[in-house]
Amino acid sequence: MGGRVFLADHHQPVRSALRLLLEHEPDLSVVGEADEPESVLAAVGAVRPDLILLDWDLVERAGRGLIAALRQAALATRVVALSCRPEDGAAAEDAGVDAFVCMGEPPERLLTTVRAMLAG
């Protein structure tokens, strides 16, 4: 199952790496990027992606209300939190994300999670 993915990370090199990974998958397309919580909300409301790859640091900077605001902006959009710190996983799940992936894991893990989320 294919899907439209939005990249939300405050580091340009991370967004570039994620875009490169996803662009090699024929069933996935990147429909937008943002580096600040406010621009994430505005863009997600406009493009209505199927899935957001969300840097957990953006949530920590904006507050956990960011997850609820994203849900309001695009009701059917799935949210996968990303972090370099595995210990952020519990907080991300408590905040209401659909899945958590540690950036230290192999890229295949991220792709598996993305596809699982898109499949429902």
Side-chain angles (χ1 to χ4, degrees), residues 37-109:
E38 300 77 21
S39 54
V40 170
L41 283 171
V44 165
V47 301
R48 302 216 184 270
D50 300 313
L51 183 133
I52 303 166
L53 293 179
L54 178 63
D55 173 13
W56 186 246
D57 286 341
L58 291 180
V59 177
E60 289 183 334
R61 288 183 9 212
R64 292 190 182 186
L66 178 60
I67 303 295
L70 287 171
R71 299 275 187 219
Q72 285 184 327
L75 294 176
T77 299
R78 308 289 251 158
V79 179
V80 176
L82 305 173
S83 177
C84 293
R85 299 176 306 269
E87 61 271 15
D88 288 340
E93 290 174 6
D94 288 346
V97 301
D98 297 299
F100 174 84
V101 175
C102 182
M103 295 297 284
E105 295 184 63
E108 293 78 20
R109 164 85 164 92

